[in-house]
Amino acid sequence: MKHYFIVFATLLLLPMLSLPLPAQSISEDFDLPDGFDRVWEGDNDDFEIIANSPVPGGMAVPRDGSSYLASKDGSGAAALNTESNFTDEWQFSLASSEFTPLSSNFFGVILMSSAVISGDILNANWNGYFIRVARSGSTSPIELLRHDGTATTLIGAFPDSPNFADGALKNGLDIRITRSASGEFELFFKTGFKYDNTPFSRGGTITDNTHTTSFYFGVFVKFNTPNLEGRVYIDNIVIGDDGDDPPEVKSVSRTPEVPLQNENLTVTTVVTDDFDVNLVEIRYIINNGDTQFVDITNSQSNDTTYFGDIPATAYNNGDRVTFWVYAEDNATATQAAESSRSNFFAGVTSISTLKATDGNGVLLFGGYDARVAGVATVRNGVFSNVDLDVYIQDGSGGINIFQAGAVGTSFIRNNNYTIVGNLAQTNGQTQINPPSSITDNGTGTPPSPLVRTIAQVIAAQEALEGMLIGIQHIENTNGANTWPGAGKDANIQIKEISSSTTMIMYINKFTDIPGTIEPVWPRDVAGILIQTDAAAPFTEGYRVTPRSTADIQEDGALPVTLSTFSAKVANGNVLLEWATESELNNLGFEIMRSFSQDGNFQMIGWLDGQFTTSQRTEYEFTDDTVLEDFTYWYKLVDVDVRGVRTEHGPISITVREGESSELDLGIPKEFNLHSNFPNPFNPSTTLRFDVPVTEQGQVTVTIDIFNALGQKVRTLLNKEFSAGTHDIVWNATSDFGLPLPAGVYYAVLRTSQFSDATKMILLK
């Protein structure tokens, strides 16, 4: 056995004067004049110091001007050891150029040993632990082994450690291993050979507490066929706690809680460290984009409070923002730390965006802060006499505003509110819980109930959750609770008189409904669609909830809504087209016409309805009494069996000169999408497009509507058209029939030969 001692006596006697080391750790970076900072024992002739050079044959680069330890060409089985009684933490850098991993070719680090080891580590007599790197090809992880006398036991591979194939350590690997008092070893790693900051990547844990003491630390090689490419390099050794803790990032706050799209977000944090703080950054991600960085500084050199801004130019209304604070110290081996992440939606966000869920109905953005604006559909005290339990809706959807114990917070029905708070989900229902600020903007536009059949409600129940909806011609099936007495809740099973599909109407005990005489059915019912589902998947428990007796209306009081209503010029005539998704007791449609939007509309035709159906029905009516160069306005009036008349429209169309015949010069010569009119618009706008004469006769035209984020909100059109100029009206609703919020939208027209888009602005 050979012993390697420092040659210079002064360095041997006074090592602490040359390189001060923390008392609570030992270190070795092989940078003293003779290469060694400490005494190493074992197979000294099989190792050497390499100074100021990249790893031979590899790409790992040490720190500037530094040296490192290398196994020599020709080393077979060899080990080198230095005294260490530490059992809690080890840091080092490893590299190897063209190492070929085999069951008989591997290397590693001795973490804990009871004795100096030389020769073959597996045959030596010692007790302790070592890690083994790269022994079986491309799937070789880092493994932890225990040695007992002359027996070796594989405890296991670190489950998330990197795997090594031939040459995989060319760039080096920085490793940190910790061990708890209970014997849990945890691996951290990153690519490199400089250990310029602490490895963050976790390689997993392995537990074994057989050996609890140590006298030596070391490095070893075991090569069946040693060669130059099989050399192993180690550097930047720190054993035990080196006294450098990561920075502490605390007290992260922001102002405002949710910035408007033209406001900077100011982030404040306190950062401390046992060394000096070298870098503090705000890191943030907008939507699913790349990570952005903003350096922030303190006001004074010795101050621990830091300020910085995420600029308003980084986000728009409805953008998702995730941010955190990152800090580094200026120690030799840089330590870093991060704060927890904070999430918010910038500006004012549509309710439908906030309510996005996964396939199990679980809220995607729970815990995000957000600002919404909408009209109150329920006042305080209606659904609870203890808590603030109210609802608002914008043009895209409805949402519950909930705050425990705050029933006295004034919330006036039909007033417009701006609310900032935290997104949550309770029993499947999306909430702002609690609201941190509530601003009453005064009287708003009362939303009308969105009239749907029970089947339509069930088909879109998550999108409709929290909205004021209406269902016509319903009756009590007597299949659930009886009509409630005063102060009692009840689940009343209802269905339409023309259908067997059922759902629950929930009577809330705090409304004025319990204790009244049960109405004579059938009735129309309006109410908030509320969800109560105790466990995921949150796909059940939807109930329409009337707010008062006034929401249980006379049969037929709620209007029918059309899904489409359009006009186009064909062969000199005006062709009207419309569609219904369902009909209840509908006798038919009066077709009305006028020469102005506000003029006197006259009935020019009648089409029979389907009476009652849950299927989509498409209608056409040709007005062949029009003149060229005139603009006409049309309305539809649906008439039910009780004589109740409900108007739809108006829409307009201009019969231009030359459109009376397909052979006329008025037929378009090419495809074209005109600008919509009016623009800006509220509540509807007309899209006009041209189809030229084509060989195939009719052409399939699609028109899709996209919001400003590029999300498709409506397929407005997908059908065949003949040559001519055609109009279609968009009433600013989504594919679900939900009104959309104010903003910028794009209509994109496509055929097999043409595509174009136009920008539309919806005002509210």
Side-chain angles (χ1 to χ4, degrees), residues 101 134-143 157-158 161-166:
R135 68 178 178 90
S136 58
S138 61
T139 59
S140 299
I142 297 176
E143 299 169 321
F158 288 97
S161 75
N163 292 327
F164 298 103
D166 296 359

Side-chain angles (χ1 to χ4, degrees), residues 11-311:
L11 293 176
L12 179 63
L13 294 174
L14 300 172
M16 302 300 289
L17 297 178
S18 301
L19 185 64
L21 296 175
Q24 64 270 40
S25 67
I26 58 177
S27 66
E28 172 70 273
D29 57 12
F30 310 104
D31 284 340
L32 284 185
D34 68 339
F36 287 90
D37 305 338
R38 298 181 52 78
V39 175
W40 288 80
E41 304 175 67
D43 300 307
N44 300 78
D45 291 343
D46 291 306
F47 293 87
E48 64 179 344
I49 300 296
I50 297 179
N52 304 320
S53 172
V55 169
M59 303 178 69
V61 179
R63 294 175 184 165
D64 293 342
S66 67
S67 304
Y68 50 91
L69 181 68
S71 63
K72 290 182 178 179
D73 179 18
S75 298
L80 202 59
N81 315 257
T82 190
E83 289 186 1
S84 167
N85 60 3
F86 289 102
T87 61
D88 58 352
E89 184 171 349
W90 304 267
Q91 301 176 31
F92 46 87
S93 301
L94 289 176
S96 184
S97 56
E98 294 292 342
F99 179 66
T100 302
L102 297 169
S103 60
S104 57
N105 276 1
F106 56 87
F107 60 87
V109 173
I110 304 161
L111 303 177
M112 298 165 55
S113 174
S114 62
V116 172
I117 305 168
S118 62
D120 188 343
I121 187 173
L122 300 183
N123 295 329
N125 191 344
W126 61 284
N127 297 320
Y129 297 98
F130 65 99
I131 63 166
R132 179 167 64 186
V133 180
R135 68 178 178 90
S136 58
S138 61
T139 59
S140 299
I142 297 176
E143 299 169 321
L144 179 68
L145 297 96
R146 187 182 72 240
H147 201 74
D148 307 285
T150 58
T152 301
T153 301
L154 172 63
I155 302 171
F158 288 97
D160 299 315
S161 75
N163 292 327
F164 298 103
D166 296 359
L169 280 180
K170 280 186 176 182
N171 295 319
L173 191 71
D174 292 334
I175 294 175
R176 174 174 175 252
I177 298 175
T178 63
R179 178 180 176 273
S180 69
S182 62
E184 182 182 74
F185 292 81
E186 184 167 13
L187 174 73
F188 302 85
F189 64 91
K190 72 176 182 65
T191 300
F193 196 61
K194 296 183 178 182
Y195 216 106
D196 48 358
N197 55 62
T198 306
F200 277 111
S201 298
R202 295 181 180 272
T205 61
I206 301 173
T207 300
D208 188 281
N209 211 22
T210 304
H211 303 300
T212 58
T213 60
S214 176
F215 295 97
Y216 290 92
F217 167 90
V219 60
F220 72 90
V221 294
K222 181 174 172 52
F223 293 159
N224 184 48
T225 308
N227 53 54
L228 179 62
E229 289 75 19
R231 300 181 71 181
V232 176
Y233 311 93
I234 187 169
D235 197 6
N236 308 316
I237 298 170
V238 177
I239 310 169
D241 183 0
D242 66 356
D244 179 18
D245 294 323
E248 186 176 1
V249 181
K250 52 190 176 182
S251 303
V252 177
S253 61
R254 68 180 188 263
T255 304
E257 180 181 357
V258 175
L260 295 169
Q261 66 172 350
N262 60 353
E263 285 184 305
N264 292 343
L265 180 77
T266 300
V267 177
T268 305
T269 186
V270 174
V271 181
T272 58
D273 189 66
D274 48 1
F275 283 71
D276 289 332
V277 176
N278 183 55
L279 172 69
V280 181
E281 291 179 334
I282 304 171
R283 297 187 171 185
Y284 64 93
I285 298 171
I286 307 297
N287 299 322
N288 293 319
D290 296 330
T291 301
Q292 308 294 320
F293 308 88
V294 175
D295 288 341
I296 57 177
T297 58
N298 51 5
S299 56
Q300 299 177 9
S301 60
N302 62 347
D303 193 359
T304 59
T305 302
Y306 292 77
F307 302 87
D309 288 344
I310 299 178

Side-chain angles (χ1 to χ4, degrees), residues 397-462:
I399 194 169
N400 180 222
I401 312 299
F402 185 88
Q403 186 171 10
V407 69
T409 301
S410 177
F411 218 83
I412 302 170
R413 181 168 152 181
N414 294 333
N415 273 19
N416 185 283
Y417 289 88
T418 300
I419 297 167
V420 176
N422 190 257
L423 281 177
Q425 189 173 34
T426 301
N427 293 330
Q429 178 167 258
T430 303
Q431 302 174 325
I432 293 183
N433 173 20
S436 58
S437 70
I438 300 175
T439 303
D440 188 339
N441 303 313
T443 304
T445 302
S448 298
L450 186 66
V451 180
R452 290 293 183 266
T453 65
I454 289 177
Q456 289 171 331
V457 171
I458 292 172
Q461 54 195 7
E462 181 59 35

